[in-house]
Amino acid sequence: MKRITILGATGSIGVNTLEIIADNPHDFTVYALTAHQNISLLYEQCLQFKPRYVVLASADLAQTLSEKLKQTESKTRVLYGESALIEVVTADEVDVVMAAIVGIAGLKPTYAAVEKGKTILLANKEALVTAGEIFMAAVKHHNAILLPVDSEHNAIFQCLPCANKYYDDKAVSRIILTASGGPFRDKLLTELQHITPDQACAHPNWKMGRKISVDSSTMMNKALEVIEAYWLFDVPYNKIEVLIHPQSIVHSMVEYHDGSFLAQMGSPDMKTPIAYAMYYPNRHKINVSKLNFVKKPLSFEALDGERFRVIPLVYEILKYKNYSATITLNAANEVLVNAFLAEKIQYLQIIKYIEHTLKMCHFDCPKTIDDVIRIDQDVRTFVRDLLK
Ligand code: NAD
Ligand code: MG
């Protein structure tokens, strides 16, 4: 029986994780669940999973949930704020942390779990994008176990040589990240002017949170994933390739020097990579739809770097080891995607303003997590001023 804390329990990854736990009640016990604001779902989760703690963003929200729970038999204690997030991942009772908060908001609690040498199931790619060098050094130093949940990275992890889950240039020649191309792959840029948030969030293959769905449509998600792979597998930037694969069946591949390609395939359902990470190194039977290769032929296309400019941009950043720019990229994207979702800017302005921000904002490489947070805040201020 493993004791788990789920950061971001009310999100798409959090809910999928809890569904696996519900089907396997003897394998996991829930120590803590956290959510930003979704009290009603967190309330339901409290009754079903009986966590020892839940954490919300503010005192007001915590008070409201606490009062609701008092009318039930629940013994769950309701906490709030960043220090509580850190408490519920670092507690001695916790074996495993699912890091599934969206955005840089997940960095501090996830990093705290690393410093405690926990086993971390990492969905929160923005933690690695913004703080990769510091984060991976801490993983090594504290002997934390980092298991990728992001489907591409989970696939690569499964396809790398067993003994060494890092890039090993004696055996491996390339890592190939697949990308569906999102909902607008076949549209001209000129057709994207009036795209609405709901259109951008309607991913053809995956059902995900709204921020990552918009990122998938702009290809920013793949740009973040190139950075994620770079840090996670310690792979040179020019050994990572992005390949368009519209069906999202091949989740990624590793090419070996002997000409072999190992690919991990499966239905586009996050339960598969989540369960792989939860049960690693074993395999566990879960409820996912089976693949039918006859019904769904596989195809691949080269990525159009002129159309999806953010991909070449990320390779430039990694080539020059300009790591503060990965924080700038992420912060600008978070603010701009939120502005787009709130219908304050148009779809095409997301990438346009990101490019402008990268041109205007320059910082030294961060040495600590506090440096990362400071750069993130400065960039957010810059972008918000831009939008005024
Ligand atoms: P989501 O928007 O559905 O859920 C986000 C969760 O984080 C919610 O529980 C929310 O309450 C919490 N949260 C949001 N802002 C917060 C804040 N400021 N402080 C504390 N908690 C906060 O997102 P998601 O789609 O589940 O994605 C979560 C992470 O997993 C992201 O980093 C995403 O890139 C990654 N990921 C998701 C998928 C997917 O299929 N959904 C796939 C791969 C990777
Ligand atoms: Mg992914």
Side-chain angles (χ1 to χ4, degrees):
M1 181 73 100
K2 285 184 190 158
R3 288 158 300 189
I4 189 168
T5 284
I6 303 178
L7 297 171
T10 54
S12 158
I13 295 287
V15 166
N16 273 298
T17 307
L18 285 169
E19 282 176 15
I20 295 173
I21 294 174
D23 289 341
N24 300 279
H26 301 299
D27 297 343
F28 291 89
T29 166
V30 177
Y31 180 79
L33 298 175
T34 86
H36 193 44
Q37 288 174 328
N38 189 344
I39 298 186
S40 50
L41 181 54
L42 194 58
Y43 171 77
E44 298 296 330
Q45 293 177 341
C46 283
L47 300 188
Q48 185 177 357
F49 296 97
K50 304 181 174 50
R52 185 146 2 142
Y53 297 102
V54 291
V55 183
L56 280 157
S58 69
D60 287 354
L61 292 165
Q63 171 86 14
T64 310
L65 179 62
S66 202
E67 274 161 20
K68 261 184 104 177
L69 286 173
K70 270 192 197 134
Q71 292 157 25
T72 71
E73 309 261 278
S74 172
K75 294 197 179 70
T76 299
R77 284 192 52 202
V78 186
L79 312 173
Y80 65 90
E82 191 174 85
S83 56
L85 286 179
I86 292 175
E87 262 172 55
V88 299
V89 295
T90 54
D92 288 342
E93 292 96 324
V94 175
D95 304 308
V96 184
V97 175
M98 166 55 86
I101 289 176
V102 61
I104 200 173
L107 174 59
K108 277 200 174 173
T110 308
Y111 188 75
V114 169
E115 288 190 304
K116 271 279 175 174
K118 300 284 185 195
T119 295
I120 296 134
L121 319 182
L122 186 75
N124 177 222
K125 66 190 78 181
E126 296 90 346
L128 272 186
V129 167
T130 55
E133 193 171 30
I134 303 160
F135 195 96
M136 292 310 290
V139 167
K140 285 204 184 101
H141 183 72
H142 298 284
N143 289 320
I145 298 172
L146 197 57
L147 299 168
V149 167
D150 207 348
S151 59
E152 296 76 2
H153 306 74
N154 187 276
I156 293 161
F157 188 85
Q158 294 191 43
C159 297
L160 281 170
C162 293
N164 180 1
K165 290 300 183 187
Y166 291 101
Y167 173 82
D168 171 3
D169 71 353
K170 286 192 209 71
V172 175
S173 59
R174 261 186 326 158
I175 277 175
I176 299 160
L177 284 179
T178 52
S180 70
F184 310 135
R185 184 174 52 96
D186 297 326
K187 281 201 191 307
L188 296 170
L189 272 183
T190 47
E191 293 176 83
L192 300 182
Q193 189 69 23
H194 301 295
I195 290 297
T196 64
D198 284 346
Q199 286 173 310
C201 289
H203 195 280
N205 305 333
W206 297 96
K207 215 174 156 294
M208 310 181 283
R210 283 172 82 77
K211 188 259 181 187
I212 184 177
S213 297
V214 176
D215 286 353
S216 297
S217 77
T218 58
M219 207 53 92
M220 176 57 78
N221 184 49
K222 210 50 54 181
L224 301 180
E225 289 182 354
V226 170
I227 307 171
E228 185 184 10
Y230 175 84
W231 290 120
L232 205 47
F233 304 116
D234 195 15
V235 49
Y237 76 94
N238 55 359
K239 301 289 179 186
I240 307 171
E241 187 178 319
V242 176
L243 184 65
I244 300 287
H245 167 47
Q247 298 82 19
S248 302
I249 297 293
V250 173
H251 297 307
S252 277
M253 301 186 244
V254 174
E255 183 186 4
Y256 284 79
H257 288 309
D258 64 3
S260 301
F261 285 76
L262 296 193
Q264 187 265 349
M265 292 185 255
S267 297
D269 186 332
M270 285 308 292
K271 282 217 178 74
T272 299
I274 293 171
Y276 180 84
M278 286 170 80
Y279 284 92
Y280 181 79
N282 302 314
R283 298 253 178 196
H284 193 77
K285 186 173 176 185
I286 53 158
N287 206 1
V288 284
S289 65
K290 295 268 177 281
L291 275 185
N292 182 333
F293 289 104
V294 179
K295 272 200 186 147
K296 231 179 186 183
L298 306 181
S299 63
F300 300 91
E301 297 162 19
L303 176 114
D304 178 353
E306 279 184 27
R307 162 68 193 279
F308 293 116
R309 299 194 299 261
V310 66
I311 297 292
L313 212 147
V314 152
Y315 280 94
E316 278 294 292
I317 290 174
L318 294 179
K319 180 175 176 183
Y320 295 106
K321 299 190 191 303
N322 182 9
Y323 300 141
S324 69
T326 65
I327 310 170
T328 307
L329 177 81
N330 180 71
N333 184 54
E334 285 193 30
V335 176
L336 292 162
V337 169
N338 280 333
F340 167 68
L341 287 172
E343 299 188 56
K344 291 191 178 133
I345 61 168
Q346 288 192 327
Y347 183 73
L348 291 175
Q349 290 178 309
I350 300 174
I351 298 296
K352 191 176 137 201
Y353 285 145
I354 287 173
E355 288 177 325
H356 177 71
T357 307
L358 279 165
K359 276 202 193 102
M360 302 303 288
C361 295
H362 299 276
F363 305 91
D364 291 337
C365 270
K367 296 203 168 49
T368 63
I369 295 294
D370 285 340
D371 291 344
V372 173
I373 302 289
R374 215 170 303 122
I375 295 172
D376 173 80
Q377 291 301 330
D378 284 355
V379 175
R380 279 167 198 268
T381 306
F382 176 86
V383 179
R384 285 194 194 112
D385 287 347
L386 202 65
L387 297 186
K388 268 179 198 159

